[in-house]
Amino acid sequence: MSSQIAFVFPGQGSQQVGMLADLHEQETIIRDTFTEASEALGIDLSGIILTGPGEQLNSTEITQPALLTCSVALWRLWQQRSELRPAYMAGHSLGEYSALVCANSINFADAVKVVNMRGQLMQQAVPAGEGAMAAILGLTDEQVRTACEQAANGDVVSAVNYNSPGQVVIAGSAAAVERAIGHCKEAGAKRALALPVSVPSHCELMRPAAEQLAQTLNNIAFVTPEIPVVQNVAAKVASSPEQVRENLLQQLYSPVLWVDSVQMLANSGVSVLFECGPGKVLSGLAKRIDRSLSATSIESADGFAKALELTS
């Protein structure tokens, strides 16, 4: 285990048709992981990941198991190729499930089914068109929270993703989010734009989804992660399997404290992050959170090989 390395796992927004296509063609463990996930759900998830259509991949209940599967497949390949194990893991929103699978806290097939259900419940919690999210750039966290308070007027709107200094995502009812966008622009935001999503994640509107998801999670066996996982809701490592489960439920309607989570890793001696999943979103955020951090995505054959070189 290296005290200087952490693996981080992306969430929704990092998906695209053809994820891991090159490694899927080259590596048996990638293909086997895709097949295992497809069998767990009883659908051709592998085919959707590799060839689409994009509309189906972007459906929340498909996006979540697809991203989980890609992240777990990359981790399994890493285990085959390297004896190095990170000191910590962390995942952004959905990516927390990926981290917990890779840390052997929850079974992969169980997790695939859970996140599929999670996506369905999130979509059902707020009818299409009634919820919204927006990215706010160039304001302090406090300015964004103030804008949300001014915009609420009895509706739900709050800061939900603290992604990097000066980059906060808000979520809530569509009308309140629109009002908050206006307040943020008045406060001097560089950009304040609605995001193309159908679910207002991590706000109070998701509490009913959490209450329903609890019924599923209570029937899933959790164990203490073999590698410490920094969870979103408190930017801390949970002290017990029960706390891991409770944090996953709270995560649905609570902010993602990603800045605090990455800073916790840096304060614990981590200097290198490997982004274990599609895209490079978390790698980009890491450098804006703490310039001392090095971040590398291992989603491609070239990126994977670079990461192996860095640790050899």
Side-chain angles (χ1 to χ4, degrees), residues 162-302:
Y162 295 95
N163 286 334
S164 69
Q167 184 184 134
V168 179
V169 174
I170 63 174
S173 65
V177 169
E178 188 61 33
R179 291 194 295 269
I181 287 174
H183 285 296
C184 287
K185 289 179 178 177
E186 291 173 6
K190 292 179 181 177
R191 296 186 73 187
L193 65 162
L195 297 175
V197 298
S198 58
V199 174
S201 302
H202 303 294
C203 73
E204 190 63 26
L205 297 176
M206 288 294 107
R207 191 178 286 271
E211 292 171 352
Q212 291 179 277
L213 187 64
Q215 301 171 22
T216 299
L217 284 183
N218 286 337
N219 293 321
I220 299 294
F222 283 83
V223 299
T224 301
E226 293 177 3
I227 297 170
V229 175
V230 179
Q231 291 190 274
N232 291 175
V233 296
K236 296 179 181 177
V237 175
S239 58
S240 67
E242 293 73 26
Q243 188 63 58
V244 168
R245 182 187 285 110
E246 180 59 29
N247 285 346
L248 287 174
L249 292 173
Q250 289 186 25
Q251 185 213 67
L252 268 177
Y253 56 86
S254 302
V256 174
L257 304 181
W258 191 247
V259 171
D260 290 347
S261 296
V262 173
Q263 288 177 334
M264 185 272 183
L265 294 174
N267 292 339
S268 300
V270 169
S271 58
V272 177
L273 300 182
F274 289 147
E275 185 168 0
C276 189
K280 300 177 182 178
V281 171
L282 300 184
S283 298
L285 293 178
K287 293 165 187 175
R288 291 198 284 273
I289 294 169
D290 189 326
R291 292 185 179 181
S292 71
L293 290 170
S294 166
T296 300
S297 169
I298 64 170
E299 67 166 339
S300 66
D302 288 346

Side-chain angles (χ1 to χ4, degrees), residues 104-183:
N104 290 329
S105 179
I106 180 175
N107 174 271
F108 175 51
D110 285 342
V112 168
K113 296 173 187 176
V114 166
V115 300
N116 173 251
M117 175 64 71
R118 180 179 183 266
Q120 294 177 38
L121 294 173
M122 290 171 69
Q123 190 65 71
Q124 293 166 10
V126 180
E130 293 188 13
M133 300 182 76
I136 312 299
L137 305 182
L139 295 182
T140 66
D141 295 350
E142 188 57 39
Q143 284 177 304
V144 175
R145 287 191 289 265
T146 298
C148 288
E149 291 169 4
Q150 294 171 338
N153 291 342
D155 292 331
V156 171
V157 60
S158 58
V160 296
N161 289 2
Y162 295 95
N163 286 334
S164 69
Q167 184 184 134
V168 179
V169 174
I170 63 174
S173 65
V177 169
E178 188 61 33
R179 291 194 295 269
I181 287 174
H183 285 296

Side-chain angles (χ1 to χ4, degrees), residues 15-19 47-55 57-58:
Q15 74 275 6
Q16 60 179 341
V17 173
M19 297 182 290
I48 297 170
I49 291 171
L50 294 171
T51 62
E55 296 80 8
L57 178 63
N58 289 328

